[in-house]
Amino acid sequence: MQPRACVTAGVLSVLLLLFSEPADTVQQTPGKERRGNDMGEVEKARAAGPSGGDSIFTKIYSGAIPASFVHKDDKCFAIKDANPQAPVHLLVIPIKPIPALSAAAPEDLELLGHLMLTAKKVAAEAGLADNGYRIVINDGRDGAQSVHHIHVHVLGGRQMKWPPG
């Protein structure tokens, strides 16, 4: 199996799975199996907390973890999500490590606007401008935030459902 060049919020869990003993498979939903020690995003968010160190996104930006960038500028970068939830699933990540949207300060206003405009740009470059796309920012445990470094999900390439969660 070839390793993926792109990473996302679930990478830490994947690394833990790779270096832990395999578990029996369990039934998640009819027709879909998952490993017994494999967590979904909600479970990862419940288990996650601010690490106090570099986030996985900081490590990606620094080059410590390899990734294919679809966008990079002086304020943010974008990568393909390694666990896509739609045909197109991109992550727009600020270089400044803001732990969550709820932790953003008034001085982050320009950066947050830049993230939105960058999300628009990468969505258009991915061919999503004509039919639309969804922007998601998870915040906190109940918002299923599993990496404590704010990031914008850009999802598209199919009809989204409503309500979303």
Side-chain angles (χ1 to χ4, degrees):
M1 179 167 74
Q2 292 285 341
R4 287 191 157 185
C6 302
V7 285
T8 185
V11 168
L12 291 176
S13 294
V14 171
L15 291 173
L16 289 172
L17 288 173
L18 290 174
F19 295 104
S20 63
E21 292 186 19
D24 297 327
T25 58
V26 295
Q27 195 68 24
Q28 180 179 9
T29 55
K32 290 188 175 181
E33 288 185 354
R34 66 176 174 88
R35 293 175 63 111
N37 60 352
D38 192 12
M39 293 189 292
E41 288 303 313
V42 172
E43 289 85 5
K44 284 186 273 186
R46 287 185 179 144
S51 65
D54 287 343
S55 74
I56 192 158
F57 297 141
T58 303
K59 292 175 183 174
I60 290 168
Y61 183 74
S62 73
I65 296 175
S68 296
F69 295 88
V70 297
H71 174 86
K72 199 172 191 182
D73 64 33
D74 63 330
K75 294 181 176 133
C76 70
F77 61 98
I79 58 175
K80 290 182 181 178
D81 194 306
N83 184 27
Q85 302 301 305
V88 176
H89 188 168
L90 307 170
L91 301 175
V92 180
I93 306 151
I95 296 167
K96 177 182 178 182
I98 303 169
L101 184 58
S102 57
E107 58 267 17
D108 296 320
L109 179 66
E110 183 181 337
L111 176 59
L112 295 173
H114 183 76
L115 293 177
M116 293 295 109
L117 292 175
T118 302
K120 173 187 169 187
K121 179 180 188 281
V122 298
E125 290 171 353
L128 301 177
D130 289 342
N131 290 329
Y133 49 92
R134 178 168 288 162
I135 300 293
V136 176
I137 299 175
N138 299 327
D139 190 276
R141 188 174 76 182
D142 285 353
Q145 181 182 7
S146 57
V147 175
H148 290 271
H149 185 140
I150 192 172
H151 52 287
V152 178
H153 295 261
V154 179
L155 301 128
R158 68 170 167 81
Q159 177 63 58
M160 298 290 139
K161 299 186 187 308
W162 194 260

